[in-house]
Amino acid sequence: MSTSIQEARALLLGDGATRPKLAYFAIEGVAEQVRIALSVAGIPFDDVAIPFAEWQSHKSSTKFGQLPEMTLPDGTIVTDSMAMLRLAGEADEEGKLYPANIALRIKVESALGLVGDLTRAWSPALAISMRPERFGYPSKEEWTDADVIVKKLRVNFIENELPRFMQYFAGLIKENGGHFLTGEHLTIADISAYQAIHYFRRGLADHVPADCLEKYPEILEWMGRVEGHEKVAAYKASKQAK
Ligand SMILES: N[C@@H](CCC(=O)N[C@@H](CS)C(=O)NCC(=O)O)C(=O)O
């Protein structure tokens, strides 16, 4: 096992007496990719859900006023889901989730960057319904015809932006052998991209039809491979059993 894998496992596992604690809300959100990656890497963790009703009183006790926060066994606080994702990936004993090989790692980082681009492209269409004043519109309570603009932004995203990103991701799968985004093994880039794309078929956002991914068969097949990965499937089954 390489030194960096040993170090990552030591940070996450400590002396074995205390598990890392992942604090977030009781939603998938940005933490689900971390939960999946920790599960694939075989790192037991405590998944702590902060109720939305308690958030305002809890907020000031967090480092940057937001969640997720991960507390490692030595007390270190990790504040960003992408930092947590990379740490979990590094802890994979098989070295597959976040490969040390620099050529592969660059592929993983590039794919993660593309996930960031997708999330940023979608973000205004999502955020406008939650915090319209940030975009120069009246507050949520005062903006009575908000839905016209919200719908316009979301329909535009699904029709004009999503196809471009689906084409980019499908291109990566193809050029890297037709299995996962960067090659024959599942990496943290697959987990992150899976979560970002899976969101659009969950029917959570108004004006985003749950069948909006149906026209991207290569993407659906790849999502099936991610879900079919033994450890991802085990994580999802354990979640359903709760
Ligand atoms: N870059 C951060 C973003 C964290 C973030 O945006 N957290 C949101 C929930 S997804 C939050 O805590 N919102 C509550 C608030 O800002 O009061 C990460 O990926 O961990």
Side-chain angles (χ1 to χ4, degrees):
M1 218 192 298
S2 77
T3 316
S4 58
I5 295 178
Q6 282 172 8
E7 286 174 356
R9 293 187 72 82
L11 269 180
L12 286 162
L13 295 170
D15 61 7
T18 317
R19 283 146 58 116
K21 190 180 85 178
L22 177 58
Y24 192 54
F25 305 104
I27 58 171
E28 293 196 357
V30 295
E32 189 70 2
Q33 56 183 347
V34 181
R35 298 184 186 114
I36 297 175
L38 287 169
S39 304
V40 174
I43 305 289
F45 63 99
D46 290 332
D47 198 15
V48 179
I50 307 295
F52 286 117
E54 289 171 24
W55 172 236
Q56 283 315 318
S57 57
H58 188 90
K59 188 174 166 83
S60 59
S61 69
T62 64
K63 211 164 167 181
F64 298 141
Q66 56 184 11
L67 294 175
E69 270 193 352
M70 181 187 263
T71 310
L72 301 179
D74 70 359
T76 303
I77 308 270
V78 185
T79 52
D80 191 86
S81 63
M82 297 310 289
M84 297 170 205
L85 180 70
R86 289 181 171 91
L87 176 60
E90 194 77 66
D92 172 27
E93 280 177 309
E94 294 182 29
K96 290 177 181 163
L97 267 187
Y98 194 34
N101 173 285
I102 194 66
L104 277 178
R105 190 161 279 207
I106 286 168
K107 285 187 179 192
V108 171
E109 287 299 336
S110 300
L112 284 173
L114 191 60
V115 179
D117 294 342
L118 168 65
T119 308
R120 258 190 308 283
W122 163 247
S123 170
L126 174 69
I128 197 155
S129 68
M130 299 191 283
R131 300 197 180 143
E133 61 278 19
R134 281 194 178 175
F135 300 87
Y137 289 100
S139 70
K140 217 170 156 180
E141 297 70 31
E142 292 162 4
W143 192 19
T144 47
D145 56 350
D147 202 52
V148 177
I149 299 291
V150 172
K151 183 174 179 185
K152 196 170 164 187
L153 288 181
R154 293 185 182 176
V155 168
N156 177 58
F157 176 85
I158 296 299
E159 286 179 0
N160 301 313
E161 292 288 310
L162 189 63
R164 190 165 65 84
F165 282 101
M166 295 304 94
Q167 193 190 333
Y168 297 155
F169 282 110
L172 285 180
I173 297 161
K174 194 171 174 202
E175 79 186 38
N176 289 308
H179 301 280
F180 292 105
L181 288 177
T182 62
E184 84 181 278
H185 299 301
L186 178 93
T187 72
I188 56 172
D190 293 286
I191 294 173
S192 188
Y194 170 85
Q195 271 309 122
I197 297 169
H198 173 58
Y199 166 81
F200 295 108
R201 63 177 183 184
R202 294 183 67 208
L204 294 176
D206 290 344
H207 314 298
V208 176
D211 65 356
C212 68
L213 299 180
E214 293 301 315
K215 43 178 129 140
Y216 310 109
E218 301 97 329
I219 295 295
L220 292 177
E221 282 162 23
W222 159 76
M223 294 180 90
R225 282 191 287 279
V226 174
E227 288 163 349
H229 181 282
E230 192 190 351
K231 290 175 180 165
V232 176
Y235 165 75
K236 286 191 174 258
S238 73
K239 207 175 128 172
Q240 267 182 353
K242 277 182 193 162

